[in-house]
């Protein structure tokens, strides 16, 4: 009889990571994930700067990678800590805590044919045969979270559109919908349409910025969300801010673009024509103060911010 031994210097990598997550990921991000996983296996510690040095990457690449894997659900990255496994156990309740057994669920399906139809439709949407655990989780969405079969169907279609078929991921989205009051068909429809518009906005600007080999960092995402949701700036306005940014700095700078867009918002400027007029007026006024805002390579960002605040 063979003897099996597990050596601590090896680490297990999930099939889900290899088959679903790894193929579409940036190679540098995979390096960061595997290094983090190795550290997690021994409860090790290493700063993002140290990891960057070890992997011959920029520290920003390491941070972006951890944020990327957090969004993919491969790990939990928060407050400088990286957690693998049941990362969210202490933060969200799960279906396992209150799930009904299959006998109760079968009885409920007999009494409500819509639930039986939900299981059949769910298999078609997910493209796989549901296990008992999957069915228990779907029923938990209905019984505990108050989502109707129609809303659950929309939830599954939304997750599949993001290429997410893992039930643990779908469960997190269901809990998020419940917590945010997305429990009706109309609310789900509004949320999904808004997400489509947001993704289109993000995709358009990523293409403009030449960011096509990585995901946006959390900080970059926050800038785009603020420009779209708080400042109500469309892609054309952000594109103009990007043009002015390149003219001044010769590189992509989110903080610099934000200073321009924030100023437009505060002045109530939301069209390209008005922004271009403001641009010319701004240059003229600042030339009188011996400050070449858009043409001086040694331009001081802090000084621009001070001028903006003084004139606000």
């Amino acid at each position: 009889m063979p003897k099996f031994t597990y050596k601590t210097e090896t680490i297990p990598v999930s099939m889900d990571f290899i088959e679903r997550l790894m193929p579409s990921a940036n190679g540098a991000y995979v390096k960061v994930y595997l290094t983090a996983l190795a550290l997690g296996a021994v409860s090790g510690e290493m700063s993002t700067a140290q990891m960057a040095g070890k992997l011959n990457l920029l520290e920003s690449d390491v941070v972006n990678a951890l944020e990327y894997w957090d969004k993919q659900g491969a790990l939990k990255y928060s407050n400088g800590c990286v957690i693998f496994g049941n990362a969210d156990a202490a933060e969200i309740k799960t279906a396992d805590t209150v799930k009904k057994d299959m006998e109760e669920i079968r009885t409920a399906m007999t009494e409500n044919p819509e639930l039986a139809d939900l299981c059949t439709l769910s298999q078609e949407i997910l493209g796989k045969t549901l296990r008992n655990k999957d069915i228990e989780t779907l029923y938990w969405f209905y019984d505990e979270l108050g989502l109707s079969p129609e809303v659950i169907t929309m939830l599954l279609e939304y997750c599949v559109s993001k290429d997410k078929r893992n039930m643990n991921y779908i469960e997190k989205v269901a809990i998020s919908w419940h917590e945010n009051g997305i429990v009706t068909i109309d609310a789900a429809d509004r949320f999904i349409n808004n997400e489509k518009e947001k993704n289109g906005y993000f995709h358009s600007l990523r293409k403009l910025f030449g960011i096509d080999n990585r995901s946006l960092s959390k900080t970059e995402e926050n800038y785009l969300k603020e420009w779209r949701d708080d400042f109500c700036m469309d892609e054309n306005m952000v594109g103009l801010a990007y043009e002015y940014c390149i003219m001044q700095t010769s590189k992509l700078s989110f903080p610099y673009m934000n200073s321009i867009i924030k100023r437009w918002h505060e002045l109530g400027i939301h069209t390209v024509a008005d922004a271009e007029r403001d641009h010319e007026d701004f240059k003229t006024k600042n030339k009188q103060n011996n400050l070449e805002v858009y043409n001086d390579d040694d331009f001081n960002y802090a000084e621009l911010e001070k001028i903006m605040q003084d004139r606000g």
Side-chain angles (χ1 to χ4, degrees):
M1 181 178 295
K3 179 180 180 181
F4 297 91
T5 303
Y6 180 79
K7 296 184 177 181
T8 57
E9 58 265 24
T10 63
I11 56 171
V13 180
S14 72
M15 291 301 297
D16 182 63
F17 175 82
I18 294 171
E19 295 179 353
R20 184 175 62 86
L21 299 178
M22 187 175 70
S24 59
N26 182 301
Y29 288 7
V30 175
K31 289 168 60 176
V32 171
Y33 177 84
L34 293 176
T35 302
L37 184 63
L39 288 167
V42 296
S43 297
E45 293 186 2
M46 182 180 290
S47 69
T48 51
Q50 291 172 322
M51 189 179 294
K54 179 181 178 66
L55 299 176
N56 195 26
L57 297 171
L58 297 175
E59 184 176 5
S60 59
D61 290 333
V62 173
V63 173
N64 289 341
L66 294 173
E67 290 178 346
Y68 171 82
W69 291 122
D70 178 75
K71 287 192 293 185
Q72 298 299 315
L75 51 78
K76 182 70 176 178
Y77 178 54
S78 178
N79 298 322
C81 296
V82 179
I83 305 173
F84 290 88
N86 191 17
D88 299 312
E91 300 176 27
I92 60 173
K93 66 178 181 176
T94 66
D96 290 337
T97 59
V98 289
K99 67 183 180 182
K100 300 292 192 300
D101 61 36
M102 283 304 300
E103 191 60 37
E104 292 176 284
I105 295 173
R106 289 191 185 95
T107 300
M109 287 181 176
T110 301
E111 297 173 352
N112 185 353
E114 278 191 328
L115 294 175
D117 293 339
L118 172 63
C119 288
T120 301
L121 188 55
S122 297
Q123 291 186 139
E124 295 177 3
I125 294 171
L126 297 174
K128 65 178 183 179
T129 301
L130 296 180
R131 302 168 299 170
N132 284 349
K133 185 177 180 180
D134 297 330
I135 296 172
E136 291 166 357
T137 300
L138 287 174
Y139 185 74
W140 185 76
F141 296 166
Y142 168 80
D143 187 49
E144 292 292 329
L145 298 185
L147 305 183
S148 68
E150 293 83 2
V151 172
I152 295 172
T153 299
M154 296 174 74
L155 168 74
L156 296 176
E157 290 175 338
Y158 167 73
C159 291
V160 169
S161 73
K162 296 168 65 68
D163 197 27
K164 305 292 186 183
R165 292 175 168 79
N166 182 280
M167 194 58 74
N168 289 332
Y169 177 90
I170 295 171
E171 180 183 321
K172 292 177 184 179
V173 176
I175 292 170
S176 174
W177 281 24
H178 169 73
E179 291 177 344
N180 288 284
I182 306 172
V183 296
T184 65
I185 294 175
D186 287 344
D189 193 52
R190 284 194 300 271
F191 171 80
I192 292 170
N193 286 333
N194 183 65
E195 283 292 295
K196 287 180 180 178
E197 291 176 6
K198 184 189 76 174
N199 291 337
Y201 185 89
F202 280 27
H203 176 76
S204 174
L205 293 180
R206 281 184 60 195
K207 185 176 180 180
L208 174 67
F209 300 155
I211 302 177
D212 52 9
N213 61 347
R214 64 171 177 82
S215 297
L216 293 170
S217 70
K218 182 66 70 176
T219 299
E220 291 168 341
E221 272 196 10
N222 288 339
Y223 274 124
L224 266 61
K225 286 178 181 177
E226 184 175 41
W227 299 342
R228 174 181 179 268
D229 299 335
D230 297 339
F231 295 165
C232 301
M233 297 293 173
D234 63 22
E235 294 97 320
N236 293 328
M237 291 295 286
V238 177
L240 184 61
Y242 174 67
E243 180 182 333
Y244 292 158
C245 174
I246 295 298
M247 287 167 56
Q248 177 58 44
T249 69
S250 301
K251 63 182 180 180
L252 171 65
S253 170
F254 281 85
Y256 187 81
M257 285 190 294
N258 188 60
S259 69
I260 297 173
I261 293 171
K262 183 178 180 181
R263 180 173 186 275
W264 288 340
H265 171 69
E266 291 172 347
L267 293 176
I269 295 173
H270 290 88
T271 68
V272 169
D274 287 344
E276 289 175 336
R277 279 193 293 270
D278 175 72
H279 172 210
E280 294 303 320
D281 291 344
F282 191 76
K283 285 200 300 181
T284 301
K285 291 176 182 177
N286 282 286
K287 281 179 182 178
Q288 295 171 358
N289 293 329
N290 298 318
L291 182 61
E292 296 284 347
V293 177
Y294 290 94
N295 299 313
D296 186 352
D297 291 336
D298 296 323
F299 172 67
N300 188 312
Y301 289 27
E303 193 168 356
L304 172 60
E305 290 287 352
K306 184 176 184 303
I307 290 173
M308 291 178 181
Q309 292 170 3
D310 291 343
R311 294 185 177 184

